[in-house]
């Protein structure tokens, strides 16, 4: 029960995987076990097969998703809308919050409480770290984080993990290199925490001012994983099974002179890819702004557009799971 006496999400369910996800908030990758991740990967496999075979289903017919985005988004917003529609559900899209009651001073808790009167699940992107947890505290319907500030982006982490699994057939025994803006990159933060559940080693490649936060590095090491740091992608390209590239995020810089100094720090070129393993995965959460040359797109190891497609299947899996229909 909540403080106001309303029934609150998951109460007294049996421990099977599908029921453990029913009514569950998805606000941090810290909440997942390896068993949870295997379950989501399995359902994502089924959703991929379903879409490729018949295109859509009526599994979530009669259910409504509120898609609440306080920040601009192309891939995440579109994939959640597509995921709900392919499952037969409906969507309330709210992307121009400057034209909503938020512009009148409405608080996040009140906005969430209003939307859950209309919808069965709420997807939230917010510029402030921790906003998804605040929303979940006040909501009686499942909240799925679509990213908050420089904190986490759990569904991106899940689709990234699923992409590695799909591309290489395993999540253990890999060397993963993270390249770019590791300080502000919430996708890197989420994926790193998920990978720490597996037998992997990680190398973090960034200029000094964009290094992974110390507390996250300590978290990964405490999980028993081996990490290394370098400023040169050339130091790791030949050993890496996965190279995960991120853009330098201009919107996170207070001083644009600093941004200009580091924005083109890394470029993945065909010549650099010639040094990479024959079987590896080159990934990017997109959008890219020059980190990976267009000439690399035809390389069979370039997985970033398959990564985008995988976002549909993973988000279909999550929506079905939290609504008890997986």
């Amino acid at each position: 029960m909540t403080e106001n006496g309303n029934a609150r999400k998951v109460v007294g369910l049996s421990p099977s995987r599908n029921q453990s996800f029913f009514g569950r908030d998805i606000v941090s990758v810290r909440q997942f076990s390896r068993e949870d991740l295997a379950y989501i990967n399995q359902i994502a496999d089924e959703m991929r097969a379903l879409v490729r075979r018949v295109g859509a289903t009526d599994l979530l017919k009669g259910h409504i998703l509120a898609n609440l985005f306080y920040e601009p988004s192309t891939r995440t917003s579109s994939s959640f809308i597509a995921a709900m529609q392919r499952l037969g559900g409906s969507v309330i899209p709210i992307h121009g919050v400057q034209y909503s009651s938020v512009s009148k001073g409405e608080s996040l808790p009140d906005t969430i409480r209003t939307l859950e009167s209309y919808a069965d699940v709420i997807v939230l992107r917010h510029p402030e770290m921790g906003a998804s947890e605040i929303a979940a505290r006040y909501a009686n319907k499942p909240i799925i984080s679509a990213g908050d500030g420089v904190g986490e982006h759990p569904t991106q982490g899940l689709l990234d993990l699923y992409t590695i699994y799909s591309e290489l057939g395993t999540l253990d025994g890999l060397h993963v290199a993270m390249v770019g803006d590791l300080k502000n990159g919430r996708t890197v933060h989420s994926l790193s925490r998920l990978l720490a559940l597996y037998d992997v080693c990680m190398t973090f490649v960034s200029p000094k001012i964009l290094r992974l936060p110390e507390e996250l590095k300590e978290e990964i090491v405490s999980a028993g994983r081996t990490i290394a740091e370098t400023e040169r992608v050339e130091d790791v390209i030949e050993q890496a099974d996965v190279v995960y590239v991120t853009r330098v995020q201009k919107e996170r810089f207070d001083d644009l002179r600093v941004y200009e100094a580091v924005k083109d720090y890394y470029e993945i070129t065909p010549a650099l890819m010639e040094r990479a393993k024959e079987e590896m995965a080159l990934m990017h959460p997109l959008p890219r702004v020059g980190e990976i040359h267009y000439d690399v797109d035809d390389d069979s190891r370039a997985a970033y557009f398959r990564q985008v497609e995988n976002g549909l299947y993973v988000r279909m899996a999550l929506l079905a799971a939290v609504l008890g229909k997986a």
Side-chain angles (χ1 to χ4, degrees), residues 44 53 147 223:
R53 186 175 66 252

Side-chain angles (χ1 to χ4, degrees), residues 263-283:
K263 68 175 183 177
D264 298 321
Y265 215 83
Y266 300 108
E267 295 183 31
I268 306 299
T269 65
L272 187 64
M273 287 298 291
E274 287 180 4
R275 298 174 53 185
K277 290 183 176 182
E278 290 186 8
E279 184 177 357
M280 59 85 73
L282 177 64
M283 299 172 60

Side-chain angles (χ1 to χ4, degrees), residues 26-29 31-32 144-148 152-159 186 190 194 318:
I26 308 297
V27 297
S28 172
V29 296
Q31 69 193 86
F32 299 119
I144 300 178
S145 170
D148 52 4
E152 286 200 55
H153 195 342
T155 67
Q156 181 72 44
L158 292 172
L159 78 88
R186 58 193 173 196
S190 290
L194 289 175
L318 286 172

Side-chain angles (χ1 to χ4, degrees), residues 161 164-174:
L161 196 77
I164 295 172
Y165 164 73
S166 299
E167 294 290 314
L168 300 176
T170 185
L171 291 165
D172 285 306
L174 301 177

Side-chain angles (χ1 to χ4, degrees), residues 84-311:
M84 194 63 175
Q85 291 178 338
R86 287 198 183 265
L87 289 168
S90 303
V91 181
I92 302 171
I94 306 171
H95 300 142
V97 293
Q98 67 270 31
Y99 304 118
S100 73
S101 292
V102 172
S103 65
K104 303 172 186 176
E106 183 173 69
S107 68
L108 177 61
D110 281 1
T111 299
I112 293 298
R113 284 168 162 168
T114 298
L115 288 175
E116 71 175 4
S117 299
Y118 315 135
D120 303 292
V121 58
I122 299 171
V123 170
L124 171 68
R125 170 167 289 183
H126 199 279
E128 296 180 11
M129 188 165 62
S132 297
E133 293 181 1
I134 293 172
R137 190 182 312 150
Y138 286 92
N140 292 312
K141 304 286 180 66
I143 299 292
I144 300 178
S145 170
D148 52 4
V150 297
E152 286 200 55
H153 195 342
T155 67
Q156 181 72 44
L158 292 172
L159 78 88
D160 290 341
L161 196 77
Y162 178 67
T163 299
I164 295 172
Y165 164 73
S166 299
E167 294 290 314
L168 300 176
T170 185
L171 291 165
D172 285 306
L174 301 177
H175 184 174
V176 180
M178 307 277 196
V179 181
D181 187 349
L182 310 186
K183 175 183 178 181
N184 301 303
R186 58 193 173 196
T187 64
V188 169
H189 300 170
S190 290
L191 180 57
S192 297
R193 288 189 171 103
L194 289 175
L195 286 170
L197 294 171
Y198 298 88
D199 179 21
V200 302
C201 63
M202 289 179 256
T203 299
F204 299 109
V205 185
S206 70
K208 289 181 179 179
I209 65 168
L210 295 177
R211 283 183 174 174
L212 199 74
E214 287 297 325
E215 60 270 23
L216 181 50
K217 285 187 282 187
E218 292 171 5
E219 189 177 325
I220 295 168
V221 171
S222 296
R225 305 303 160 218
T226 301
I227 68 171
E229 289 185 300
T230 180
E231 293 188 34
R232 290 166 35 88
V233 70
E234 291 83 0
D235 293 341
V236 72
I237 189 68
E238 295 176 3
Q239 296 82 36
D241 300 293
V242 177
V243 175
Y244 188 95
V245 185
T246 66
R247 70 183 174 92
V248 177
Q249 299 186 42
K250 183 178 181 179
E251 65 272 25
R252 307 296 180 193
F253 283 77
D254 294 325
D255 187 342
L256 289 183
R257 292 174 298 179
V258 178
Y259 166 75
E260 291 293 334
V262 296
K263 68 175 183 177
D264 298 321
Y265 215 83
Y266 300 108
E267 295 183 31
I268 306 299
T269 65
L272 187 64
M273 287 298 291
E274 287 180 4
R275 298 174 53 185
K277 290 183 176 182
E278 290 186 8
E279 184 177 357
M280 59 85 73
L282 177 64
M283 299 172 60
H284 193 305
L286 300 179
R288 60 176 163 179
V289 287
E291 309 85 27
I292 300 177
H293 286 205
Y294 288 105
D295 291 346
V296 176
D297 292 356
D298 292 331
D299 191 309
S300 62
R301 298 165 293 183
Y304 28 93
F305 289 112
R306 295 190 291 275
Q307 189 178 346
V308 170
E309 181 181 345
N310 288 337

